[in-house]
Amino acid sequence: MAKAKTDVLHGTLALLVLKTLARGAMHGYGITLHIQRVSSDVLRIEEGSLYPALHRMEQEGSISAEWGMSENNRRARYYQLTPRGRRQLAEEEKSWSRLTQAVASVLQGA
């Protein structure tokens, strides 16, 4: 039996993170848990992918971060969308919609 492929399609990690942060500020582990839970455990984001992406998105100005205390009373970095990140989310959602419609057309033989 073939192993289920759960790698996040290249370029979608930023979209998933932005959409997750549209709900409100979260720390990195909370972001991974949310994506995993909402996707019914199909999508799993590894730390080795998430934190470099968060750092890159912060450098680009899509998100901002500040230190706070987690639910477990531990210091954690909380990330939130910036106005630029909200605009980027809207653009990436449109792009994702076009892409998925195009793939669906090919799969349907249109």
Side-chain angles (χ1 to χ4, degrees):
M1 180 180 340
K3 181 180 173 190
K5 186 170 174 90
T6 58
D7 295 340
V8 176
L9 184 62
H10 180 70
T12 61
L13 181 56
L15 173 60
L16 296 172
V17 169
L18 291 170
K19 188 66 174 182
T20 299
L21 292 177
R23 299 171 39 87
M26 286 187 193
H27 52 74
Y29 184 64
I31 294 169
T32 62
L33 286 180
H34 175 78
I35 292 170
Q36 187 174 331
R37 182 178 51 80
V38 170
S39 72
S40 300
D41 290 325
V42 172
L43 300 176
R44 294 175 182 253
I45 310 300
E46 300 294 328
E47 285 184 27
S49 298
L50 178 66
Y51 289 101
L54 289 171
H55 180 72
R56 183 177 58 255
M57 293 167 72
E58 187 178 5
Q59 296 290 57
E60 293 168 352
S62 300
I63 62 174
S64 62
E66 57 186 50
W67 290 100
M69 296 301 283
S70 72
E71 308 79 32
N72 300 336
N73 251 359
R74 293 186 178 167
R75 234 176 90 126
R77 202 149 157 86
Y78 281 80
Y79 300 90
Q80 61 187 4
L81 283 182
T82 62
R84 180 179 180 166
R86 291 195 185 284
R87 289 189 302 274
Q88 181 182 350
L89 173 58
E91 290 170 13
E92 293 213 21
E93 284 180 313
K94 287 177 192 172
S95 179
W96 179 254
S97 180
R98 283 191 304 272
L99 175 65
T100 57
Q101 288 172 1
V103 170
S105 294
V106 171
L107 292 176
Q108 294 168 1

